[in-house]
Amino acid sequence: MMYDAIVFFDLDGTLFDDQKNVLPSSIDAIKQMSKNNILSVISTGRNIFEVQYVLDETGLDTIVSANGSYVQYQGKKLHQEVIPEKVLDEFTDYANQQGDPVGYFNNRGFRLSQENDATKENFKLLRLDAKVDPDFYHHEKINFMNVFNEDKEEQYQERFKGVLSLVRNNPRALDTMNAGVSKRTGIQILLEAAHLENVHTYAFGDQLNDLQMFDMVDTPIAMANGHKLAKEKAAYVTTSNMDDGIVNGLKHFNLIK
């Protein structure tokens, strides 16, 4: 099927308000676009199990999740990264030496290597029940990790250069994927596999893990509450996630009336 346009939506700080809900006006806008032959896609650092309620309430079934590590189109899996077990072992050993908890994720669930104040705060904000099981990755395929620290990205990036990509998604944790994997690669996989390369693409985002997505799409749109670098890269800066930023941005580009 050929669409008139494709719009990618980051979640936290973008499609979500500060309480992690989608504003009713944004849901209406997405439904209006569906009727007008515009494909809406969630593009998030989160995994599908964390945001299934968003897919349900918006009626969407296409998602680039876990920063490009798991891609689903029209409800079906298109692509799943798998981090090798040897890499998981090495990463876990290194994180343990640092005293940094690791979260291991796939599209169905997650577990932690250990708990601390940062993990408790993080998963409380995400409304997720975090269980500790350091052996989880030995019997589940893992496509994505979080490592909990506030200031060690350069250290980890240097140690796992060429093996893993690490990007700070919030003050408490680094999103961790196979090297080279990002929202950009996830979007590329989706567009190629679904033969949508010639459709005009838009993306709404607010954080550092959205910068590569902004490079990939034709028209990047940053939220007023977003990171300075996201705003600099954007074709347009809309209002904040609490002030109808999605609706105002879509109207600006005549994607809704």
Side-chain angles (χ1 to χ4, degrees):
M1 173 173 181
M2 197 46 74
Y3 297 95
D4 293 337
I6 304 171
V7 186
F8 294 92
F9 295 100
D10 171 54
L11 287 181
D12 294 280
T14 302
L15 191 60
F16 277 160
D17 66 15
D18 291 348
Q19 284 70 51
K20 310 294 183 196
N21 297 311
V22 182
L23 295 176
S25 57
S26 301
I27 294 176
D28 290 343
I30 285 169
K31 293 191 169 163
Q32 195 181 321
M33 286 195 293
S34 292
K35 287 181 186 146
N36 294 340
N37 199 37
I38 296 169
L39 176 65
S40 296
V41 183
I42 303 293
S43 179
T44 178
R46 302 226 215 167
N47 294 265
I48 290 182
F49 73 89
E50 302 175 61
V51 297
Q52 188 59 51
Y53 71 99
V54 181
L55 299 178
D56 293 342
E57 69 183 3
T58 55
L60 299 181
D61 57 7
T62 299
I63 178 169
V64 174
S65 69
N67 279 344
S69 297
Y70 191 96
V71 182
Q72 174 179 299
Y73 177 57
Q74 294 180 339
K76 295 187 176 67
K77 178 174 94 174
L78 267 190
H79 177 76
Q80 178 179 9
E81 291 288 328
V82 177
I83 301 173
E85 197 167 336
K86 182 173 175 288
V87 174
L88 293 165
D89 279 333
E90 282 177 29
F91 190 80
T92 302
D93 286 347
Y94 187 74
N96 285 344
Q97 287 164 28
Q98 308 289 322
D100 296 341
V102 179
Y104 310 100
F105 294 79
N106 58 31
N107 58 306
R108 294 187 306 279
F110 80 108
R111 296 290 185 272
L112 287 170
S113 62
Q114 56 176 304
E115 240 179 1
N116 68 7
D117 288 346
T119 66
K120 285 174 188 162
E121 184 186 357
N122 190 70
F123 293 110
K124 187 179 170 190
L125 284 171
L126 296 179
R127 303 189 203 160
L128 291 173
D129 179 23
K131 295 187 170 69
V132 174
D133 177 4
D135 292 326
F136 184 66
Y137 71 86
H138 291 300
H139 46 81
E140 285 277 348
K141 284 184 175 162
I142 303 302
N143 55 38
F144 177 86
M145 293 184 285
N146 273 147
V147 59
F148 288 83
N149 60 62
E150 289 177 5
D151 54 2
K152 297 179 191 167
E153 46 259 65
E154 286 180 13
Q155 186 182 323
Y156 273 88
Q157 283 163 350
E158 186 56 39
R159 172 66 180 77
F160 292 97
K161 200 173 181 176
V163 180
L164 294 169
S165 284
L166 295 102
V167 62
R168 184 160 298 284
N169 193 12
N170 73 42
R172 294 167 298 279
L174 295 168
D175 288 354
T176 307
M177 294 75 65
N178 275 331
V181 173
S182 68
K183 288 186 180 184
R184 177 183 182 141
T185 60
I187 290 171
Q188 201 169 356
I189 285 163
L190 171 65
L191 296 178
E192 287 172 6
H195 307 295
L196 301 171
E197 297 105 313
N198 298 322
V199 183
H200 193 97
T201 50
Y202 301 81
F204 285 80
D206 70 313
Q207 278 305 325
L208 297 174
N209 68 334
D210 295 319
L211 297 181
Q212 288 183 306
M213 170 169 78
F214 279 9
D215 285 336
M216 183 68 205
V217 299
D218 299 309
T219 307
I221 303 158
M223 310 301 286
N225 51 286
H227 194 285
K228 178 169 73 76
L229 293 176
K231 292 182 194 173
E232 283 170 11
K233 210 177 254 279
Y236 180 70
V237 179
T238 184
T239 50
S240 80
N241 64 321
M242 297 296 284
D243 185 25
D244 264 339
I246 298 297
V247 166
N248 291 330
L250 293 171
K251 282 183 175 168
H252 179 81
F253 290 102
N254 299 313
L255 292 163
I256 59 169
K257 293 205 164 48

